[in-house]
Amino acid sequence: TNAEELINNLPIIEVHGNVVRCTGVNQQSLGHPVQYIQLDKRHHNAPVTCKWCGLRYRKAAGAH
């Protein structure tokens, strides 16, 4: 769908913590309830996708 294509075109969001707070892409009216996503649970530096909106997050290289 068009929304999936828009999300897939966004770069992976790199963060410095172990937990991400995702509320969706509000600029494109794709907001959703707050989701807390745990990073680096299985694969180090592998992107984790929000189950609601599809945004991808990854722990930044060198982050503790």
Side-chain angles (χ1 to χ4, degrees), residues 30-45:
L30 298 173
H32 59 71
V34 173
Q35 297 294 305
Y36 292 93
I37 303 169
Q38 178 71 40
L39 302 177
D40 283 351
K41 284 173 60 174
R42 296 187 180 181
H43 304 289
H44 185 64
N45 287 339

Side-chain angles (χ1 to χ4, degrees), residues 1 5 8 22-23 26-27 31 33-34 37 39-40 47 50 53 57 60 63:
T1 66
E5 291 174 16
N8 288 333
C22 184
T23 57
N26 293 322
Q27 299 92 323
V34 173
I37 303 169
L39 302 177
D40 283 351
C50 175
C53 65
Y57 296 93

Side-chain angles (χ1 to χ4, degrees), residues 1-58:
T1 66
N2 189 34
E4 290 173 335
E5 291 174 16
L6 291 172
I7 293 294
N8 288 333
N9 289 334
L10 294 174
I12 296 173
I13 301 165
E14 293 195 343
V15 297
H16 293 281
N18 291 321
V19 178
V20 173
R21 181 181 180 268
C22 184
T23 57
V25 185
N26 293 322
Q27 299 92 323
Q28 297 174 357
S29 299
L30 298 173
H32 59 71
V34 173
Q35 297 294 305
Y36 292 93
I37 303 169
Q38 178 71 40
L39 302 177
D40 283 351
K41 284 173 60 174
R42 296 187 180 181
H43 304 289
H44 185 64
N45 287 339
V48 179
T49 304
C50 175
K51 67 181 181 179
W52 282 80
C53 65
L55 285 176
R56 296 165 293 161
Y57 296 93
R58 173 174 52 212

